[in-house]
Amino acid sequence: MTMSDNRKLGIAVAQMGPVHLADDRKAVVARLVEMLKEAAARGARLVVFPELALTTFFPRYWMSEEEAEERFFEHAMPNAHVQPLFDLAKSLGVGFYLGYAERTAGGERFNTSILVDASGNIVSKYRKIHLPGHSDHKVDAPFQHLEKKFFQVGDAGLPVVEAFDTRVGMCLCNDRRWPETWRMMSLQSAEVGVLGYNTPSLNIHWNEPVHLRMSTHLISLQASAYQNAMWIAAAAKCGSEDGHHMIGGSVIVAPTGEIAARTVTEEDEVIVANADLSLVEGFREHVFNFAKHRRPEHYHLIVERVGAGEPLPLKNI
Ligand code: ING
């Protein structure tokens, strides 16, 4: 493979253990600060924190939108709670990805992530597109999954920005299960994709074996990294939050689809990989040379249809 001289980017994933209802944002941010320090000391220039990193995974609880906004949404970003994180990152010359519940000045509510560069500037914002779960109160369920109640579908597309001497795309949790998410990033020439997630171990919709939560999580990321020739860094918030368990399995996946680093606990844990971005070039030049091999004229159903429909009429050959 012809590869330019090694372009290396130190990427860290800062996995979080549980955040309980009783944990305030000050204590949570102090944990993020500690992990940012460790990541920087281990050579990272970009640190990935989880989805909804500042609070417990509140969509598991039934409450009014107003109560959720009051207790769990950020009405400005940055704000006094997260300022220590922005200040430290700037002083260390390190950038980060952070997931949080965004309440806009106009009263909209999104499950949001931001990308902050090494100068402490927000250079990209993403609002979750694939919202899993439901909006009704499932009174017989052991917990709720009310992302469709508390958040609107994202309106910021799937942004890819020049940052950290490469191109970085962002998504959130359930987005990782949809191939369209990653193809939208790779068609914008992203080399690195970053995301946070909160994935309950228990499926409230059917009795899915618990081990499948980890396997489908890893398959989604490893296949997507390979099929789009990207580095992917995914940060869990995990462990038991007030008795509700979520999977760990934070990983950094190479464009080969191989796992370059993964966590082994369900607590705050930092993993780092010195990502060789030139690995992307080989796959983009040969196997996944989009310009040479893709045939969008045959893929029209992918954007024309929402749900599955009838087979297309056969060409009489
Ligand atoms: N959580 C889960 C996720 O996509 C889920 C929800 C799990 C949906 C497993 C389908 C299957 O990892 C969030 N927050 O999206």
Side-chain angles (χ1 to χ4, degrees):
M1 284 183 203
T2 55
M3 292 187 194
S4 59
D5 57 334
N6 282 352
R7 295 186 295 124
K8 295 289 183 73
L9 173 61
I11 302 176
V13 162
Q15 170 181 286
M16 295 176 73
V19 176
H20 305 296
L21 283 165
D23 294 333
D24 67 14
R25 285 177 176 72
K26 189 172 167 58
V28 172
V29 171
R31 289 165 56 187
L32 303 183
V33 160
E34 283 313 302
M35 289 197 279
L36 190 82
K37 284 179 191 166
E38 177 185 344
R42 292 170 59 187
R45 289 176 52 212
L46 169 57
V47 183
V48 183
F49 292 113
E51 170 193 38
L52 297 176
L54 302 174
T55 67
T56 197
F57 187 70
F58 62 88
R60 72 165 67 92
Y61 300 112
W62 179 259
M63 70 189 93
S64 69
E65 287 89 334
E66 292 70 29
E67 181 182 350
E69 273 188 31
E70 177 55 38
R71 295 176 62 186
F72 301 107
F73 280 71
E74 307 306 316
H75 296 228
M77 184 54 69
N79 59 45
H81 293 119
V82 297
Q83 197 57 50
L85 186 66
F86 277 73
D87 294 345
L88 175 69
K90 184 173 180 178
S91 70
L92 293 174
V94 172
F96 62 91
Y97 162 107
L98 181 71
Y100 65 96
E102 176 191 15
R103 199 258 189 199
T104 69
E108 298 165 300
R109 290 187 306 274
F110 297 104
N111 187 342
T112 295
S113 66
I114 50 172
L115 190 67
V116 178
D117 70 7
S119 307
N121 304 312
I122 297 175
V123 293
S124 185
K125 174 179 277 191
Y126 171 67
R127 291 166 168 166
K128 190 172 183 178
I129 290 172
H130 300 96
L131 297 170
H134 53 96
S135 53
D136 59 314
H137 190 184
K138 295 187 178 305
V139 289
D140 299 325
F143 53 86
Q144 310 298 303
H145 197 114
L146 294 163
E147 293 194 56
K148 289 188 190 297
K149 175 181 173 68
F150 294 135
F151 304 120
Q152 293 156 240
V153 172
D155 61 358
L158 281 150
V160 170
V161 291
E162 301 273 354
F164 310 100
D165 303 318
T166 180
R167 289 195 181 95
V168 183
M170 292 193 281
C171 66
L172 277 158
C173 204
N174 195 257
D175 291 319
R176 73 190 186 285
R177 301 177 188 277
W178 301 93
E180 294 88 345
T181 300
W182 301 105
R183 192 46 54 93
M184 279 298 290
M185 291 187 213
S186 56
L187 285 172
Q188 298 178 77
S189 309
E191 295 183 319
V192 178
V194 292
L195 70 136
Y197 63 94
N198 289 242
T199 301
S201 308
L202 207 59
N203 182 336
I204 60 172
H205 304 292
W206 79 90
N207 57 345
E208 177 188 17
V210 168
H211 77 276
L212 291 181
R213 285 285 152 121
M214 186 57 76
S215 60
T216 58
H217 154 69
L218 294 175
I219 287 169
S220 299
L221 294 175
Q222 291 182 258
S224 301
Y226 168 64
Q227 290 171 343
N228 293 281
M230 290 172 64
W231 281 90
I232 296 178
K237 175 148 64 70
C238 56
S240 178
E241 293 190 332
D242 297 299
H244 298 281
H245 186 264
M246 297 191 291
I247 67 167
S250 301
V251 282
I252 300 172
V253 184
T256 60
E258 300 279 273
I259 294 175
R262 70 180 294 174
T263 54
V264 294
T265 73
E266 294 183 343
E267 298 297 333
D268 291 8
E269 181 179 347
V270 175
I271 54 175
V272 181
N274 195 14
D276 179 354
L277 299 176
S278 64
L279 259 181
V280 171
E281 293 162 20
F283 288 100
R284 288 266 169 90
E285 197 171 313
H286 299 288
V287 185
F288 296 111
N289 183 321
F290 291 168
K292 193 183 287 184
H293 300 309
R294 291 188 71 247
R295 300 263 63 89
E297 66 272 20
H298 290 289
Y299 310 156
H300 56 88
L301 283 189
I302 291 175
V303 291
E304 286 168 9
R305 283 191 185 172
V306 180
E310 291 305 307
L312 294 172
L314 296 178
K315 180 174 171 55
N316 53 348
I317 43 182

